[in-house]
Amino acid sequence: GAGVSQSPRYKVAKRGQDVALRCDPISGHVSLFWYQQALGQGPEFLTYFQNEAQLDKSGLPSDRFFAERPEGSVSTLKIQRTQQEDSAVYLCASSYPGREALAKNIQYFGAGTRLSVL
Amino acid sequence: AQTVTQSQPEMSVQEAETVTLSCTYDTSESDYYLFWYKQPPSRQMILVIRQEAYKQQNATENRFSVNFQKAAKSFSLKISDSQLGDAAMYFCAYRGGQETSGSRLTFGEGTQLTVNP
């Protein structure tokens, strides 16, 4: 696609409910990132994929958070048993990180999913 | 760990005037990249400008330029001839230069820029 696509745009969940957020990266982009952005704050790193391999999940705040990218394209961020503190915008970004192009490795962001947990 | 600090939560500028947004960072790496992203109400992060730490020359993109002071670990953004469409939240971001350090971006807290007509 022309850009990074995220769905849904908005999600309202009741506390304790499971949610799944989808990210469709730019076609051909190898790397995919998830960030969490609390209201009025800068985004914070959650996890990183290179193709289907999850190379870094150190930013996931708890074991309720799980991300996957089974075919190296679309990714899903799943949050189990949502809590009020999970309310945030979840941003996805993709990039093409070829070694020779590392200096030009730019992350392109989607418009995010705003999650509200009631 | 790397940290990025933006000390100006809000800034305002008159249309057609110039404004400078501040950013400082802390790192022990010698090779890294710095970015300014713009986030309008639509929430989509848009890259404004980037700077490679090994380059002494300050990056420039049309009306946007940076003042990169490596020794002081400072990376400010100057917007010249401000336009109404420049109004947004601006984030300064850092990325390490080595693949082993990861490709993640570390963001500052953001500066909300208002452009007054």
Side-chain angles (χ1 to χ4, degrees), chain B:
Chain B
Q2 293 80 21
T3 59
V4 178
T5 302
Q6 294 177 248
S7 58
Q8 306 155 315
E10 298 176 346
M11 291 284 284
S12 63
V13 63
Q14 290 295 127
E15 195 174 4
E17 297 294 309
T18 296
V19 65
T20 298
L21 308 184
S22 300
C23 173
T24 59
Y25 59 93
D26 189 25
T27 184
S28 58
E29 296 178 301
S30 59
D31 185 22
Y32 51 88
Y33 303 88
L34 297 165
F35 305 83
W36 279 98
Y37 277 88
K38 167 185 176 181
Q39 187 179 42
S42 67
R43 298 200 305 257
Q44 185 151 16
M45 288 279 196
I46 302 166
L47 179 66
V48 174
I49 198 167
R50 71 176 185 274
Q51 174 82 41
E52 294 89 344
Y54 62 83
K55 289 187 176 179
Q56 294 187 339
Q57 186 172 9
N58 289 324
T60 299
E61 288 285 344
N62 300 315
R63 297 183 295 106
F64 299 88
S65 62
V66 299
N67 183 3
F68 173 48
Q69 300 291 326
K70 191 172 184 178
K73 296 181 180 176
S74 170
F75 182 61
S76 61
L77 174 69
K78 185 171 81 171
I79 306 174
S80 304
D81 185 25
S82 297
Q83 300 176 359
L84 295 178
D86 294 334
M89 181 73 87
Y90 285 80
F91 290 97
C92 178
Y94 170 101
R95 179 170 64 78
Q98 301 299 320
E99 287 194 54
T100 52
S101 67
S103 300
R104 67 170 72 180
L105 290 170
T106 300
F107 288 88
E109 305 92 332
T111 296
Q112 181 67 50
L113 178 66
T114 301
V115 181
N116 300 310

